Amino acid sequence: MSRETQINSLIMVGFILVPLWAWMTDEPFIITLTTKAAILALAGIGLNIALGLGGLVSLGHAAFFGIGGYAMGILASHAQSYDPILETPFLIEGTKSMIVIWLVAMITSGLAALAIGALSLRTSGVYFIMITLAFGQMFFFFSISWPAYGGEDGLSIYVRNNFPGLNTLDPIQFYIIVFVIMALALFLTARLAKSPFGLALNAARQSATRVETIGLSTYGLRLLAFTLSGMITGLAGALFADLNRFVSPTMFSWQTSGEIIVFIILGGTARLFGPVVGAALFILLEHILGGLSDFWHIYLGLLLLLIVLFARGGIIGILAGREVAHD
Amino acid sequence: MTDPVLQTIGISKAFGALQASKNVTLDLQPGEIHALIGPNGAGKSTLIQQIAGNLRPDDGQVILAGENVTGLTTAQRARRGLARTFQISALAMEDTVLQNAILGALGASGKPWAFFGAALKRQDLRQAAETALARVGLSDHVATRTAELSHGQRRQLEVAVALTLKPKAFIMDEPMAGLGTEGSQQMTQLLHELRQEAPILLVEHDMDAVFALADRISVLVYGEIIATGSVDDIRRNPKVREAYLGEED
């Protein structure tokens, strides 16, 4: 077992023990914090496919996070008001089923990522960052100005959505759902990184010329990576909305995009557990420092600065050293 | 004469007032090594880039195995059997030697859409990669990170990746650069054998290697081919002497 695998296992154990301890000592707030960390980690796991593996610095991933959130908000609000979304030409009703909501969230955010990626990936570098930011902002202002689903005020959902056999309003049971999804996403990303597709995508980041010269289209590889990335972040958005039972345009804001990038940089770019560590640390700092001062972001910024300057591999990089070349 | 594997017909390319390629017509016959030489700034790289697909010529055609590929991308040309090695290595530096070679084999398979199984455990890819690495003499460095290779070894890896493509034609941009005497001899031997599998368009500054290997030589000066012929023809050609080989005898 490599050192990084050991550290990753420890992090997973932490994500089991902390909520377990909180559940036994009856601290639902800690469970909710851990749930939030796991959901934000999931959003980061999604972005890490594009950013870490593909080298695509997207400053517009809030678009997918928000689309996931609004997929949940729109479906659930129609279900709670018994008002169908569409009557003609065919009937589409709202739903309170988490599984259906997740599917809709992933499909819609995947389609959005496909469209945004298809246009944005014609650029690179700073232009790519700017154009993804612009798309993100488009969604942000659209959500603010569309009154049907709350506009600026957002949309409240009174009861958490249903999952067969579980009481989702019970914090620990909702946490189990989120944890399983996060673990599954980590497992799939780990496989993806080592797969032929991952090899080609990672090589395209290091030398686009190389990948073109062996006959593969970097555009195609990156577009697919960007789409998969958007789908996972979209799923995280649906879970985040369900956690808060509230959706608002904030989910679409560029600060959200920036925070997801911060998780990855804090934890370690292209490291499997980078976004997990980053999101957990972010939540921890927000909880501890946020209690001391409203301006806790100053300390976060300082930490980020130190990591960018002195530890390019992020926290995983500090703990596990440079990534070992496998085989 | 048999049909050429690779051919350029009247290629021209200008960057503003600079005419980088002037009506270049050149062909690569099966089984040959065709060396392209010329002083620095003669437009060798520009020509190679147009053949490989990184640059589009203003005028003229590139024909690969009878097909006009002038409008195709680099990737499309590679899939049709054109393998290129670079003067300045274009390799995935963070990856291992084996991973780079497997990437080549993956490109040759044309099926990168596999998301689940590990690339290093794909026997078909691995075998093609290991065979190619053995041929260039990199078997002992399979697990080495590419960034840790010497310049010469990177050149060898470039050739190995090109080999995994099982191409119809090679374009090699200075494969001898940085190799040292022994490495240079090994590479010369390898290229000598390779021409039977696929002809090589060779850009090289090492004149010993060029004279030892080339079946034909074309001399490019100021974007124009001033002479094409056998080694002896070129050595005797007064225009070439003047433009390139200098006055010394």
Side-chain angles (χ1 to χ4, degrees), chain A residues 194 206 210 215 323 327, chain B residues 79 90 94 119 126 145 158:
Chain A
K194 288 188 174 175
Q206 301 170 56
R210 165 52 56 207
E323 208 169 1
D327 214 7
Chain B
R79 281 201 289 276
E94 296 166 23
R126 196 164 174 142
R145 213 178 255 268
E158 286 270 350

Side-chain angles (χ1 to χ4, degrees), chain A residues 154-302:
Chain A
L155 199 58
S156 283
I157 304 300
Y158 306 120
V159 186
R160 208 168 267 161
N161 296 301
N162 312 315
F163 190 89
L166 291 178
N167 170 18
T168 54
L169 274 173
D170 177 10
I172 193 75
Q173 297 195 35
F174 184 62
Y175 176 74
I176 290 169
I177 296 175
V178 169
F179 177 78
V180 169
I181 291 177
M182 180 183 82
L184 207 62
L186 283 169
F187 173 69
L188 291 175
T189 327
R191 298 301 297 250
L192 186 82
K194 288 188 174 175
S195 74
F197 174 76
L199 181 74
L201 179 66
N202 196 23
R205 174 177 62 78
Q206 301 170 56
S207 169
T209 321
R210 165 52 56 207
V211 173
E212 295 277 339
T213 309
I214 55 143
L216 300 179
S217 149
T218 47
Y219 181 76
L221 292 167
R222 287 172 177 162
L223 184 55
L224 185 66
F226 195 74
T227 306
L228 287 173
S229 164
M231 286 171 81
I232 295 177
T233 303
L235 177 61
L239 291 169
F240 191 72
D242 231 333
L243 171 70
N244 300 324
R245 280 168 285 156
F246 177 65
V247 201
S248 81
T250 316
M251 286 182 75
F252 277 122
S253 70
W254 68 269
Q255 287 92 335
T256 305
S257 296
E259 276 173 11
I260 305 176
I261 295 181
V262 166
F263 304 152
I264 294 180
I265 296 174
L266 275 182
T269 312
R271 307 307 273 263
L272 181 62
F273 273 69
V276 181
V277 176
L281 189 68
F282 185 89
I283 294 299
L284 202 67
L285 288 177
E286 183 181 49
H287 182 58
I288 297 170
L289 297 176
L292 299 175
S293 157
D294 281 346
F295 304 108
W296 69 277
H297 282 95
I298 291 176
Y299 302 103
L300 178 72
L302 196 66

